[in-house]
């Protein structure tokens, strides 16, 4: 009924909108989603890192999460990442509202394509992220990971948010 009334009597630009017209209901709960992610997120991921640059070959990557803890709408993740033959500790955050990932490699980062001070940034959790180097001379690269599923365990189905 209110939309019909608003359409019949437009509101002048200078006046505030009626209270009933500005009520919005958000049914998505990012705090609850972060808690579910922390519980159900796969703990083992595998894939590859492809550095940007001429002639750079892809490198095999394994990610093992030791912990995933929800703090509000954020999920704190910690574990180890093996890139090629080098294993490094990692720490990061996943936003339960947007699936944004910020993942830091801790310790001394060896190699010519990854360097200290850089991080992986993603908009699809661990599935797809990019390396953002600390210097402009490093072009970065793309990290593509998929969950490794144990036999007899179903793959969790993720909703589109």
């Amino acid at each position: 009924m209110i939309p019909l009334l608003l359409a019949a009597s437009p509101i002048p630009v200078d006046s505030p909108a009626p209270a009933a017209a500005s009520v919005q209901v958000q049914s998505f709960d990012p705090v609850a989603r972060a808690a579910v992610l922390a519980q159900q997120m796969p703990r083992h991921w595998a894939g590859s890192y492809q550095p940007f640059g001429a002639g750079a070959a892809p490198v095999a990557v394994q990610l093992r999460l030791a912990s995933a803890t929800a703090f509000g709408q954020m999920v704190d993740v910690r574990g180890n990442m093996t890139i090629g033959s080098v294993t490094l500790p990692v720490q990061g955050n996943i936003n339960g509202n947007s699936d944004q990932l910020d993942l830091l490699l801790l310790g001394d980062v060896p190699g010519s394509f990854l360097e200290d001070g850089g991080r992986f940034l993603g908009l699809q959790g661990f599935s797809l992220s990019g390396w953002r180097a600390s210097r402009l001379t490093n072009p970065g690269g793309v990290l593509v990971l998929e969950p490794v599923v144990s036999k007899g365990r179903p793959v969790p189905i993720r909703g589109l948010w």
Side-chain angles (χ1 to χ4, degrees):
M1 175 104 175
I2 290 177
L4 292 175
L5 292 174
L6 290 175
S9 57
I11 300 170
V13 176
D14 296 350
S15 67
S22 64
V23 174
Q24 293 181 357
V25 176
Q26 182 179 5
S27 61
F28 177 73
D29 184 358
V31 174
R33 180 158 187 273
V36 169
L37 276 174
Q39 282 185 324
Q40 296 180 358
M41 180 184 314
R43 298 300 196 249
H44 186 199
W45 296 74
S48 65
Y49 173 73
Q50 174 68 53
F52 298 137
V59 179
V61 175
Q62 296 279 326
L63 173 66
R64 291 193 182 271
L65 298 178
S67 68
T69 308
F71 292 105
Q73 75 177 27
M74 301 301 287
V75 179
D76 175 65
V77 293
R78 296 169 191 242
N80 290 307
M81 181 180 279
T82 303
I83 304 167
S85 60
V86 177
T87 301
L88 295 166
V90 295
Q91 179 179 354
N93 296 310
I94 297 176
N95 188 320
N97 191 29
S98 63
D99 274 352
Q100 292 179 351
L101 168 71
D102 190 4
L103 187 66
L104 303 173
L105 296 176
L106 306 176
D108 294 328
V109 180
S112 59
F113 51 88
L114 299 175
E115 58 190 34
D116 292 338
R119 63 183 189 232
F120 288 104
L121 298 174
L123 298 176
Q124 299 175 12
F126 290 112
S127 299
L128 178 64
S129 59
W131 175 253
R132 181 160 187 189
S134 59
R135 298 181 303 143
L136 292 175
T137 57
N138 185 323
V142 65
L143 175 68
V144 179
L145 295 174
E146 293 183 7
V148 175
V149 182
S150 303
K151 288 186 179 183
R153 231 178 126 195
V155 176
I157 298 173
R158 297 192 54 209
L160 298 174
W161 304 104

